[in-house]
Amino acid sequence: MSPNIAKKQRFIGKTAIITGAGSGIGRATAIQLAREGANVALFDLVNERNFELEQKLNKLRKDCALALDVDTSDSERMEEAVRQTVDRFGGLDIVFANAGINGAVGPIEELSLSDWEHTMSVNLTGTFLTLKYSIPHLKKKGKGSIIITSSINGNSRFASFGWSPYSTTKAGQVAFAKMAALELAKFKIRVNVICPGAISTNIDESTEFNEEIGAIVIPIEFPEGAQPLADGPGKPDNVAELVSFLASDESIHITGAQIVIDGAESLLS
Ligand code: NAD
């Protein structure tokens, strides 16, 4: 999506944190929210893409974007990045806990403890830290919307052989989102979790295949057209539209929801 002039301006005066903003779903969502008037704090590991996006968005609307070099699994850096966001934009309204990696893929007995812990720390601890440091600022506003990116893997799909660390984090994010939704409801902070199927992004760059993977794969023949609705993987923009809806007051009575966005992929697998 190119950052053109917005059709809707429903986020004027609002600030959003987007983790994993430098690529894929996070990038598309940052553009979408900025086009709709939000100030956007772009959290990502050091990379040119994130700073290039900051420049692009600041051309769209002066000073609406702030790129921050942050590893979401690092508690001190996360706390500092949330503080910088609030200092710069004056508060926080929307949090998209989206950063994630595929991580190590292989037979359980071949995975090292550090393989396991790395995926846990980015996908699950990173989600926890994102919420932990954001919640006090959402409470100050008296309302807020949190959206967490899980996956169909680990929730409605279990046939990705060797993906046990990834799938475990994605199942954990759903439980965490629902616990948080109930805990935060009285503060008018909504928490919803989205479960994408295959989306065309750069996520494969974060996959580390173990060479023993072949030993555990059960050959499955998928029917042609694994995502029947789209006849192929979804686009990051498709997910960004959903996140934008969940961030907005148009979804004011929706919390604790687990929303699949997969073009019917998980119904086939
Ligand atoms: P992507 O690789 O294109 O983007 C992910 C971004 O997260 C990258 O910019 C990366 O640098 C950043 N990131 C990774 N680790 C980080 C860390 N520790 N701290 C800060 N930033 C970090 O991938 P994507 O597909 O857009 O992934 C976004 C989310 O969507 C992930 O949680 C992923 O598990 C989930 N998801 C993706 C798909 C898919 O098919 N693409 C399907 C289901 C779920």
Side-chain angles (χ1 to χ4, degrees):
M1 184 196 297
S2 64
N4 295 325
I5 302 301
K7 278 181 267 171
K8 294 181 195 168
Q9 289 283 296
R10 57 187 168 184
F11 299 124
I12 288 175
K14 308 261 186 210
T15 296
I17 284 175
I18 296 131
T19 73
S23 175
I25 294 168
R27 183 177 195 279
T29 302
I31 294 170
Q32 176 77 24
L33 297 184
R35 287 176 72 219
E36 294 191 47
N39 294 319
V40 287
L42 314 170
F43 287 20
D44 209 301
L45 295 168
V46 183
N47 68 56
E48 284 175 15
R49 295 180 300 209
N50 202 32
F51 289 96
E52 173 263 330
L53 178 62
E54 177 193 49
Q55 283 184 355
K56 195 172 263 196
L57 294 177
N58 282 335
K59 272 186 208 152
L60 170 74
R61 188 159 39 82
K62 196 171 179 313
D63 297 334
C64 75
L66 173 67
L68 291 162
D69 158 18
V70 52
D71 179 345
T72 53
S73 65
D74 180 323
S75 184
E76 283 177 15
R77 284 169 73 183
M78 274 303 291
E79 185 174 22
E80 175 60 16
V82 173
R83 192 193 59 73
Q84 283 179 261
T85 302
V86 172
D87 281 357
R88 163 75 176 268
F89 295 122
L92 184 61
D93 306 276
I94 298 158
V95 177
F96 185 32
N98 166 75
I101 55 167
N102 286 344
V105 175
I108 294 167
E109 70 201 71
E110 301 293 339
L111 295 174
S112 67
L113 177 59
S114 68
D115 288 337
W116 175 264
E117 287 181 339
H118 183 52
T119 307
M120 295 297 136
S121 70
V122 176
N123 293 1
L124 210 41
T125 307
T127 302
F128 161 70
L129 293 173
T130 305
L131 269 65
K132 172 179 169 55
Y133 291 121
S134 298
I135 287 167
H137 300 289
L138 298 175
K139 281 184 177 173
K140 277 185 201 153
K141 283 287 185 98
K143 71 184 230 185
S145 176
I146 298 172
I147 303 102
I148 295 173
T149 309
S150 173
S151 171
I152 57 171
N153 277 298
N155 292 300
S156 49
R157 184 167 198 282
F158 299 91
S160 297
F161 299 99
W163 292 66
S164 56
Y166 179 83
S167 297
T168 301
T169 62
K170 294 292 153 185
Q173 285 178 307
V174 171
F176 181 63
K178 292 184 181 189
M179 296 297 294
L182 200 49
E183 179 177 322
L184 297 172
K186 68 178 174 189
F187 303 104
K188 308 293 177 214
I189 298 170
R190 299 181 295 110
V191 186
N192 292 293
V193 58
I194 61 170
C195 295
I199 306 292
S200 299
T201 69
N202 296 307
I203 193 83
D204 289 341
E205 289 174 10
S206 68
T207 315
E208 298 159 32
F209 280 107
N210 182 284
E211 57 192 26
E212 302 298 329
I213 182 75
I216 58 162
V217 171
I218 302 170
I220 299 177
E221 206 161 310
F222 287 104
E224 275 194 31
Q227 295 89 19
L229 193 63
D231 200 20
K235 298 185 181 80
D237 289 353
N238 302 147
V239 184
E241 292 280 2
L242 172 61
V243 178
S244 174
F245 166 70
L246 291 172
S248 76
D249 283 350
E250 286 170 41
S251 58
I252 200 73
H253 201 51
I254 302 178
T255 194
Q258 177 182 351
I259 301 178
V260 172
I261 174 161
D262 74 345
E265 179 182 343
S266 55
L267 301 180
L268 272 174
S269 50

